Structure formats: C-alpha cells, structure tokens
Amino acid sequence: MTHFSAFSLLKNALTGNRNWTEQWPDPEPKAEYDVIIVGAGGHGLGAAYYLAREHGITNVAVLDKGWLGGGNTGRNTTIIRSNYLYDESARLYDHAVDLWEGLSQELNYNVMFSRRGVLMLAHTVHDVQSFKRHIHANRLNGVDNRWLTPKECKAYCPPLSISPDARYPVLGGALQERAGTARHDAVAWGYARGAAKRGVDIIQNCAVTAIRRHPDGSLAGVETTRGFIKAKKVGVSAAGHTSVVMQTADVRLPLESFPLQALVSEPVKPVFPCVVMSNAVHAYISQSDKGELVIGSGTDQYTSYSQRGGLPLIEHTVAAITEIFPIFNRMRMLRKWGGIVDVTPDRSAIISKTPVGGLYVNCGWGTGGFKATPGAAHTFAWTIAKDEPHPINAPFTMERFRTGRLIDEAAAAAVAH
Amino acid sequence: MLLIHCPYCDETLPEVEFTYAGQAHVVRPADPSSTSDSEWEAFLFLRENPKGAHYERWRHLHGCGRFFNAVRDTVSDRFLTTYAAGAPRPDLSDLIERAK
C-alpha cells in the first residue's frame, strides 16, 4: 500500500500517475472472525480501524450491503462541531473534534478537515437566551463557543443579510471557531485504508440479513447474502437500518428512522467562508471545496426507509436560505437526496452493550452522526474490545430509556444535531 | 409530496395539510402505578420502526383537525389505507392483496 507523501505525489505525477496501487483489497469473507462490524460507513470502518490500531484485534470484518461509505457517510452535509449543552454530549463530541484535528496525519490520508467555524444564528429573543446559555455551558466544559453581535456575524460571514426588516432578523450568533467541515468520502476511505493495512477485511455487497443466536441465547454469528459467518463479537453500526438488523437478534431499540434531506447548488467561486446554521428555520449551509453550496434541510415528519423525502421540506429550507442570504436567490440547485437517520427519543446516541453477550450497538445518531465519526468509532471499538464502555460513552447506554437517565439534547436544542 | 386520504373529509389532499403523529395503536398502561420500568420504557420509547407496512397516526391539522390512522409502506411511502381513530386494526394481508 502506497504511503502518501510529497515525494510519492511528485514521483507519480512525473510518471503519469500510472503506478498507484490499490488502497485496500476486496477479499472474500472468511468462515469466522473475532469481530464483525455491520455497516461500512465512517463509524463502522473507524471502529474496525481503532480495534486494530488501539486494541490489537485484527481478525475483523466490516460488512456492508452496498458500497463503502454509500449510506449516510456519503449523504450528510459534513458539519463538525461540539457545542452541545449537556456535559455528557460535550465530552463525546469534543473527543471527536480532538481526533478530527489529527486525523489526516494519523491516517496518512487527507480528510480535508477545515476549521472554518460554525455560526449558529439567533432570530428571536428565545434563541438569544438559549444560545447564551449554551455558550456559558460550553465554556464550563472547555468547549470554545462565543457570542457575536449582528455586525460581527456579518463581518464573519459577508453573504449574510442582517437587515432589521429581514424575514428572519439576525439578533446575533454563537460561533464555534474550532468547528468546521471535512470531506466525507475521504473519512470512509481513510479509515478503510488504515483498517485494511492492519489486516481488517472490508467486504462490500454483503448484506447482513440476520444476527444468529444459539438456542441458549448466546451469539453465533451473522447470516449474510454471501452465507453464514461465525463471529465471537458483533458490532452493529447500521444507522437508519439498525433497528431492522437488531430485531433479528430480538433486541428492541428506541429508534425511529426518518429521511433527512440535503441538496447542493451548481458550483460557484469561493463566496461562503464558514458554516452557518439556523436552527429556527431549519437551514444549514456551507460551501464545499468543489464550489457547491451544501445545504442541509430537516427530517421529514414521517418515518420512512425511502432515501428521498418530500419536496415541501426542500421548499421550506431553500426559502429560508434565500431570505437569510439574498445573494443566493438566483442560484440553481443541482441535486437533492435523502439519508435514513435513526432518531432516539432524547436525540442522543447509543454506544452500548446489549442484553446479548458479545453484541454491541452504535446507533441513534439521528441528524448529526458525521461530526462524531472519530469519537464514536474510537469509543465503540473500546466498548467492543474491553466489553465495557469507555468513560466517555458510558452514559450513552440503551438502558437509559428504562432508568430515565436521558441525555436530553432534544429538550436542549429541539432541532439540529 | 404524499397525498393522504382523510377518512372524515373523504378527500385526498397534499401532505402539507397533515401532521404525522407516530405509531398507531399504542395503548397507555391501564394501571400506571403497577406498571414496571420496562413496561413504561416500551410504552414511552420503543416503537416498531418497520421497513414495510407501518400502522401510524396522522392528524388533518389544516382541515377537520381530527386524528385518524393509516397503514403506509415505509419503503415506497405508499398508503395502503386510512381509517378512523378507534376503528379496529385492518388486516395486513387483505390490504396488500387489495393494493396489488
């Protein structure tokens, strides 16, 4: 496997880029693995990478029903931030941001993490009060987040309209400067490459149809479209399809799957320097390095497994974007799509052991799983390897819905994760 | 955009007139004080979330304002039927047969 460096780039450029080798092999599944990860998105591939790198467990397979990174990893709007209200969430997401910062070097693969700043707009007095509360809570947790006046918002993001007669007047904003974006595909590819280099099998087009248990209830392995594969441990990281997979093992999870939509514009020259989120009107926008405006919408109101979603939501989002950024009101949109996100009642994730020994689950990331990718993968790998949670993910159990110890980011923010 | 049939108004209308109200036929425990934590968890938080036919509630918010039930395929988003709240749960195999 080629090590990327300035020298290797130059050498291959001079020889016509004909000598690059494959980044990871395409192996046949073995009969048995120590650990099987279900779902080759960023979370699953990352978990396999950390299992191999941090815990020395290399007899690992990552199975996916489609192609690598073809689910929500390739469908999100790539926003990374950690300005969550509650202590538990702040620790988990800030752990992820810490890992994001060194990820390109660690993986020897450019994930294009860009700390361009995430600005959350306040449009009402309630927004102002709630964001200021967030800022103070974040500061106490050592998470950077500061208040900007409307003029400072405008200086930070020039396309923004702060006109007092705007449909959604800007009363200020909360800015996290360490936050930003990354290249989503590269995250999946980088983790896949790093895991494969350490001996992990990445098996695409191999759908897990059921988790098989012995008559005594213990874990046997997984049934797949390419036959039964025995496994000592199984970690499910299947986003919107987690409840479908887990049901085959008789484990019920407090999840509902909704389509979450996003869209991109035609590519234009650099015009948008940061990420702007407006929770009140459900509109999130940044500009990719290719020049497209990447716009995130909300979830449809009904549960669904169709990766489409309805147009009324897109209309609402685009209407809000053109009100807040009148400069974009003649921009043409290129394409829109939906991803199926698994939402928990408290809008916090589950990274947890399950009642079945050797079966683990990483799910419930709802509308905000991408930002957590390295942190979720790292703590999930720990949980699988040691059969106990890392202190950071210890509060994110599936039992909290029985004990009542919710991490209620739903009440803290109501929208947008 | 989904087109939804309101069983009270007897009209098929665009999705924006309606609000989704979650899984249907979830019954509140009859005797709350003797209900265990696990049963409360199931009542409050655990939902079927099927990939396929889903029994769900909708409300015709911008019309008659009333709640009704529906069966919708969550893969195609196609409605198999809608029926009045309180009506018995329709049999799935009949619905699928009729939809063919």
Side-chain angles (χ1 to χ4, degrees), chain A residues 39-97:
Chain A
H43 285 232
L45 292 164
Y49 170 80
Y50 290 114
L51 276 174
R53 182 178 169 278
E54 308 245 309
H55 306 286
I57 302 170
T58 56
N59 185 23
V60 176
V62 186
L63 311 182
D64 200 282
K65 65 176 175 178
W67 66 95
L68 179 161
N72 292 350
T73 299
R75 290 169 185 268
N76 67 86
T77 53
T78 79
I79 298 170
I80 293 164
R81 62 185 179 88
S82 61
N83 51 354
Y84 281 73
L85 182 66
Y86 289 113
D87 298 352
E88 297 88 346
S89 318
R91 274 196 292 274
L92 178 59
Y93 290 103
D94 218 38
H95 179 54
V97 171

Coordinates of all heavy atoms in Angstrom, one line a residue, chain A residues 39-97:
Chain A
G39 N -21.9 -2.6 8.8 CA -22.1 -1.3 8.3 C -20.7 -0.6 8.0 O -20.0 -0.3 9.0
A40 N -20.4 -0.4 6.7 CA -19.1 0.2 6.4 C -19.3 1.6 6.1 O -18.9 2.1 5.0 CB -18.5 -0.6 5.2
G41 N -19.8 2.4 7.0 CA -19.8 3.8 7.0 C -18.6 4.3 7.8 O -17.7 3.5 8.2
G42 N -18.5 5.6 8.0 CA -17.3 6.1 8.7 C -17.3 5.5 10.1 O -16.2 5.2 10.6
H43 N -18.4 5.4 10.8 CA -18.5 4.9 12.2 C -17.9 3.4 12.2 O -17.2 3.1 13.1 CB -19.9 4.9 12.7 CG -20.3 6.3 13.1 ND1 -20.8 6.6 14.4 CD2 -20.3 7.5 12.5 CE1 -21.1 7.9 14.5 NE2 -20.8 8.4 13.3
G44 N -18.4 2.6 11.3 CA -18.1 1.2 11.3 C -16.6 1.0 10.9 O -15.9 0.2 11.6
L45 N -16.2 1.6 9.8 CA -14.8 1.5 9.4 C -13.9 2.0 10.4 O -12.8 1.5 10.7 CB -14.6 2.2 8.1 CG -15.3 1.6 6.9 CD1 -15.4 2.6 5.7 CD2 -14.7 0.3 6.4
G46 N -14.3 3.1 11.0 CA -13.4 3.7 12.1 C -13.3 2.8 13.3 O -12.2 2.6 13.9
A47 N -14.4 2.1 13.6 CA -14.4 1.2 14.8 C -13.4 0.1 14.5 O -12.6 -0.3 15.3 CB -15.8 0.7 15.1
A48 N -13.4 -0.4 13.2 CA -12.5 -1.5 12.8 C -11.1 -1.0 12.9 O -10.2 -1.7 13.3 CB -12.9 -2.0 11.4
Y49 N -10.9 0.2 12.4 CA -9.5 0.8 12.5 C -9.0 0.9 13.9 O -7.9 0.5 14.2 CB -9.6 2.2 11.8 CG -8.3 3.0 12.0 CD1 -7.2 2.8 11.2 CD2 -8.2 4.0 13.0 CE1 -6.0 3.5 11.4 CE2 -7.0 4.7 13.2 CZ -5.9 4.4 12.4 OH -4.8 5.1 12.6
Y50 N -9.8 1.4 14.8 CA -9.4 1.6 16.2 C -9.2 0.2 16.9 O -8.4 0.0 17.8 CB -10.3 2.5 17.0 CG -10.1 3.9 16.5 CD1 -11.2 4.6 15.9 CD2 -8.9 4.6 16.7 CE1 -11.1 5.9 15.5 CE2 -8.8 5.9 16.2 CZ -9.9 6.6 15.6 OH -9.7 7.9 15.2
L51 N -10.1 -0.8 16.5 CA -9.9 -2.1 17.1 C -8.5 -2.7 16.7 O -7.8 -3.3 17.6 CB -11.0 -3.1 16.5 CG -12.3 -3.1 17.2 CD1 -13.3 -4.0 16.3 CD2 -12.3 -3.6 18.6
A52 N -8.1 -2.5 15.5 CA -6.8 -3.0 15.1 C -5.7 -2.2 15.6 O -4.7 -2.7 16.1 CB -6.8 -3.0 13.5
R53 N -5.8 -0.8 15.6 CA -4.7 0.0 16.0 C -4.5 0.1 17.5 O -3.4 0.1 18.0 CB -4.9 1.4 15.4 CG -3.8 2.4 15.7 CD -4.0 3.7 15.1 NE -3.0 4.7 15.5 CZ -3.2 5.3 16.7 NH1 -4.2 5.1 17.4 NH2 -2.3 6.2 17.1
E54 N -5.6 0.3 18.2 CA -5.5 0.5 19.7 C -5.6 -0.7 20.5 O -5.1 -0.8 21.6 CB -6.6 1.5 20.1 CG -6.7 2.7 19.3 CD -6.4 4.0 20.1 OE1 -7.0 4.1 21.2 OE2 -5.5 4.8 19.6
H55 N -6.3 -1.8 20.0 CA -6.6 -2.9 20.8 C -5.9 -4.2 20.2 O -6.1 -5.3 20.8 CB -8.1 -3.1 21.0 CG -8.7 -1.9 21.5 ND1 -8.6 -1.5 22.9 CD2 -9.5 -0.9 20.9 CE1 -9.3 -0.3 23.0 NE2 -9.8 0.0 21.9
G56 N -5.3 -4.1 19.1 CA -4.6 -5.2 18.5 C -5.5 -6.3 18.0 O -5.0 -7.5 17.9
I57 N -6.8 -6.0 17.8 CA -7.7 -7.0 17.3 C -7.8 -6.9 15.8 O -8.4 -5.9 15.3 CB -9.1 -6.9 18.0 CG1 -8.9 -7.0 19.5 CG2 -10.1 -7.9 17.4 CD1 -10.2 -6.7 20.3
T58 N -7.2 -7.8 15.0 CA -7.1 -7.6 13.6 C -7.9 -8.6 12.8 O -8.1 -8.4 11.6 CB -5.7 -7.6 13.1 OG1 -5.1 -8.9 13.5 CG2 -4.8 -6.5 13.7
N59 N -8.4 -9.7 13.5 CA -9.2 -10.6 12.8 C -10.7 -10.1 12.7 O -11.6 -10.6 13.5 CB -9.2 -12.0 13.4 CG -9.9 -13.1 12.6 OD1 -10.1 -12.9 11.4 ND2 -10.3 -14.1 13.3
V60 N -10.8 -9.1 11.9 CA -12.1 -8.3 12.0 C -12.6 -8.1 10.5 O -11.8 -8.0 9.6 CB -11.8 -6.8 12.5 CG1 -13.0 -6.0 12.5 CG2 -11.3 -6.9 13.9
A61 N -13.9 -8.2 10.4 CA -14.5 -7.9 9.1 C -15.5 -6.8 9.2 O -16.2 -6.7 10.2 CB -15.2 -9.1 8.5
V62 N -15.6 -5.9 8.2 CA -16.6 -4.9 8.1 C -17.5 -5.3 7.0 O -17.0 -5.4 5.8 CB -16.0 -3.5 7.9 CG1 -17.1 -2.4 8.0 CG2 -14.9 -3.2 9.0
L63 N -18.8 -5.5 7.2 CA -19.7 -5.9 6.1 C -20.6 -4.8 5.8 O -21.1 -4.0 6.6 CB -20.5 -7.1 6.6 CG -19.8 -8.3 7.3 CD1 -20.8 -9.4 7.6 CD2 -18.7 -8.9 6.3
D64 N -20.9 -4.7 4.5 CA -21.9 -3.6 4.1 C -22.7 -4.2 3.0 O -22.3 -4.9 2.1 CB -21.2 -2.4 3.6 CG -22.1 -1.2 3.7 OD1 -22.9 -1.0 2.7 OD2 -22.0 -0.4 4.6
K65 N -24.0 -3.8 3.0 CA -24.9 -4.3 2.0 C -24.7 -3.6 0.6 O -25.0 -4.1 -0.4 CB -26.4 -4.1 2.4 CG -26.8 -2.6 2.5 CD -28.2 -2.5 2.8 CE -28.6 -1.0 3.1 NZ -30.0 -0.8 3.3
G66 N -24.1 -2.4 0.7 CA -23.8 -1.7 -0.6 C -22.3 -1.5 -0.7 O -21.5 -2.3 -0.4
W67 N -22.0 -0.3 -1.1 CA -20.6 0.1 -1.2 C -20.1 0.9 0.0 O -21.0 1.5 0.6 CB -20.3 0.8 -2.6 CG -20.9 2.1 -2.7 CD1 -20.3 3.3 -2.4 CD2 -22.2 2.4 -3.1 NE1 -21.2 4.4 -2.6 CE2 -22.4 3.8 -3.0 CE3 -23.3 1.7 -3.6 CZ2 -23.6 4.5 -3.4 CZ3 -24.5 2.3 -3.9 CH2 -24.6 3.7 -3.8
L68 N -18.9 0.9 0.2 CA -18.3 1.6 1.3 C -18.6 3.1 1.4 O -18.4 3.8 0.3 CB -16.8 1.3 1.2 CG -15.7 1.7 2.1 CD1 -14.5 0.9 1.8 CD2 -15.4 3.2 1.8
G69 N -19.1 3.5 2.5 CA -19.4 5.0 2.6 C -20.6 5.4 1.7 O -20.8 6.6 1.5
G70 N -21.4 4.4 1.3 CA -22.5 4.8 0.4 C -23.8 5.1 1.1 O -24.8 5.5 0.5
G71 N -23.8 5.0 2.4 CA -25.0 5.4 3.2 C -24.9 6.8 3.7 O -24.6 7.7 2.9
N72 N -25.2 7.0 4.9 CA -25.2 8.4 5.4 C -23.8 9.1 5.4 O -23.8 10.3 5.5 CB -25.8 8.4 6.9 CG -27.3 8.0 6.9 OD1 -27.9 7.9 5.8 ND2 -27.8 7.8 8.0
T73 N -22.8 8.3 5.4 CA -21.4 8.9 5.4 C -21.3 9.8 4.1 O -20.7 10.8 4.1 CB -20.3 7.8 5.4 OG1 -20.4 7.1 6.6 CG2 -18.9 8.4 5.3
G74 N -21.9 9.2 3.0 CA -21.8 10.0 1.8 C -22.9 10.9 1.5 O -23.1 11.5 0.4
R75 N -23.8 11.0 2.5 CA -25.1 11.8 2.2 C -25.3 13.0 3.2 O -26.3 13.6 3.1 CB -26.3 10.8 2.4 CG -26.4 9.8 1.4 CD -27.4 8.7 1.7 NE -27.4 7.7 0.7 CZ -28.2 7.7 -0.3 NH1 -29.1 8.6 -0.5 NH2 -28.1 6.8 -1.2
N76 N -24.3 13.2 4.0 CA -24.5 14.3 5.0 C -23.9 15.6 4.6 O -23.3 15.6 3.5 CB -24.0 13.8 6.4 CG -22.5 13.8 6.3 OD1 -21.8 14.7 6.5 ND2 -21.9 12.6 6.0
T77 N -24.1 16.6 5.4 CA -23.6 17.9 5.0 C -22.3 18.3 5.6 O -21.8 19.4 5.7 CB -24.6 19.0 5.2 OG1 -25.0 19.0 6.6 CG2 -25.8 18.9 4.4
T78 N -21.6 17.3 6.2 CA -20.2 17.3 6.7 C -19.9 18.3 7.8 O -18.8 18.7 7.9 CB -19.2 17.5 5.5 OG1 -19.1 18.8 5.1 CG2 -19.5 16.6 4.4
I79 N -20.9 18.8 8.5 CA -20.7 19.8 9.6 C -20.1 19.1 10.8 O -20.6 18.0 11.2 CB -21.9 20.5 9.9 CG1 -22.4 21.3 8.7 CG2 -21.7 21.5 11.1 CD1 -23.8 21.9 8.8
I80 N -19.0 19.7 11.3 CA -18.4 19.2 12.6 C -18.4 20.2 13.6 O -17.9 21.4 13.4 CB -16.9 18.8 12.2 CG1 -16.9 17.6 11.3 CG2 -16.2 18.4 13.5 CD1 -15.6 17.3 10.6
R81 N -18.9 19.9 14.8 CA -19.0 20.9 15.9 C -19.2 20.1 17.2 O -19.5 18.9 17.1 CB -20.1 21.9 15.7 CG -21.5 21.3 15.7 CD -22.6 22.3 15.4 NE -23.9 21.6 15.4 CZ -24.6 21.4 16.5 NH1 -24.2 21.9 17.6 NH2 -25.7 20.7 16.4
S82 N -19.0 20.8 18.3 CA -19.1 20.1 19.6 C -19.8 21.0 20.6 O -19.7 20.7 21.8 CB -17.8 19.6 20.1 OG -16.9 20.7 20.3
N83 N -20.5 22.0 20.2 CA -21.1 22.9 21.2 C -22.5 22.5 21.7 O -23.5 23.1 21.5 CB -21.2 24.3 20.5 CG -21.9 24.3 19.2 OD1 -22.2 23.2 18.6 ND2 -22.2 25.5 18.6
Y84 N -22.5 21.3 22.3 CA -23.7 20.7 22.8 C -23.9 21.1 24.3 O -22.9 21.4 25.0 CB -23.6 19.2 22.8 CG -24.0 18.7 21.4 CD1 -23.1 18.8 20.3 CD2 -25.2 18.1 21.1 CE1 -23.4 18.4 19.0 CE2 -25.5 17.6 19.9 CZ -24.6 17.8 18.8 OH -25.0 17.3 17.6
L85 N -25.1 21.1 24.7 CA -25.4 21.7 26.1 C -24.9 20.8 27.2 O -24.3 21.3 28.1 CB -26.9 21.9 26.2 CG -27.4 22.6 27.5 CD1 -26.8 24.0 27.6 CD2 -28.9 22.6 27.6
Y86 N -25.3 19.5 27.2 CA -25.0 18.7 28.3 C -23.6 18.2 28.4 O -22.9 18.0 27.4 CB -26.0 17.5 28.3 CG -27.4 18.0 28.6 CD1 -28.4 17.9 27.7 CD2 -27.7 18.5 29.9 CE1 -29.7 18.3 27.9 CE2 -29.0 19.0 30.1 CZ -30.0 18.9 29.2 OH -31.2 19.3 29.4
D87 N -23.1 18.0 29.7 CA -21.8 17.6 29.9 C -21.4 16.3 29.1 O -20.3 16.2 28.5 CB -21.6 17.3 31.4 CG -21.8 18.5 32.3 OD1 -22.0 19.6 31.7 OD2 -21.8 18.4 33.5
E88 N -22.3 15.3 29.2 CA -22.0 14.0 28.5 C -21.8 14.2 27.0 O -20.9 13.7 26.4 CB -23.2 13.0 28.7 CG -23.5 12.7 30.2 CD -24.4 13.6 30.8 OE1 -24.7 14.7 30.3 OE2 -24.9 13.3 31.9
S89 N -22.7 15.0 26.4 CA -22.6 15.3 25.0 C -21.3 16.1 24.6 O -20.6 15.8 23.7 CB -23.8 16.0 24.4 OG -24.9 15.5 25.0
A90 N -21.1 17.1 25.5 CA -19.9 18.0 25.2 C -18.6 17.1 25.2 O -17.7 17.3 24.4 CB -19.8 19.1 26.2
R91 N -18.5 16.2 26.2 CA -17.3 15.3 26.3 C -17.2 14.4 25.0 O -16.1 14.3 24.5 CB -17.4 14.5 27.5 CG -16.8 15.2 28.8 CD -16.5 14.2 29.9 NE -17.7 13.6 30.4 CZ -18.5 14.1 31.4 NH1 -18.1 15.3 31.9 NH2 -19.6 13.5 31.8
L92 N -18.3 13.8 24.6 CA -18.3 12.9 23.5 C -17.9 13.6 22.2 O -17.0 13.2 21.4 CB -19.6 12.2 23.4 CG -19.8 11.2 22.2 CD1 -18.7 10.1 22.3 CD2 -21.2 10.6 22.2
Y93 N -18.6 14.7 21.9 CA -18.4 15.4 20.6 C -17.0 16.2 20.6 O -16.4 16.3 19.6 CB -19.5 16.4 20.3 CG -20.8 15.7 20.0 CD1 -21.9 15.6 20.9 CD2 -21.0 15.2 18.7 CE1 -23.0 15.0 20.6 CE2 -22.2 14.5 18.4 CZ -23.2 14.4 19.3 OH -24.4 13.8 19.0
D94 N -16.6 16.6 21.8 CA -15.3 17.3 21.9 C -14.2 16.3 21.7 O -13.1 16.6 21.1 CB -15.2 18.1 23.2 CG -14.4 19.4 22.9 OD1 -14.7 20.0 21.9 OD2 -13.6 19.8 23.7
H95 N -14.4 15.1 22.2 CA -13.4 14.0 22.0 C -13.3 13.8 20.5 O -12.2 13.6 19.9 CB -14.0 12.7 22.7 CG -13.1 11.5 22.5 ND1 -11.8 11.5 22.8 CD2 -13.4 10.3 22.0 CE1 -11.3 10.3 22.6 NE2 -12.2 9.5 22.1
A96 N -14.4 13.8 19.8 CA -14.4 13.6 18.3 C -13.6 14.8 17.6 O -12.8 14.5 16.8 CB -15.8 13.5 17.8
V97 N -13.9 16.0 18.1 CA -13.2 17.1 17.4 C -11.7 17.0 17.7 O -10.9 17.3 16.8 CB -13.8 18.5 17.9 CG1 -12.9 19.6 17.5 CG2 -15.2 18.7 17.4

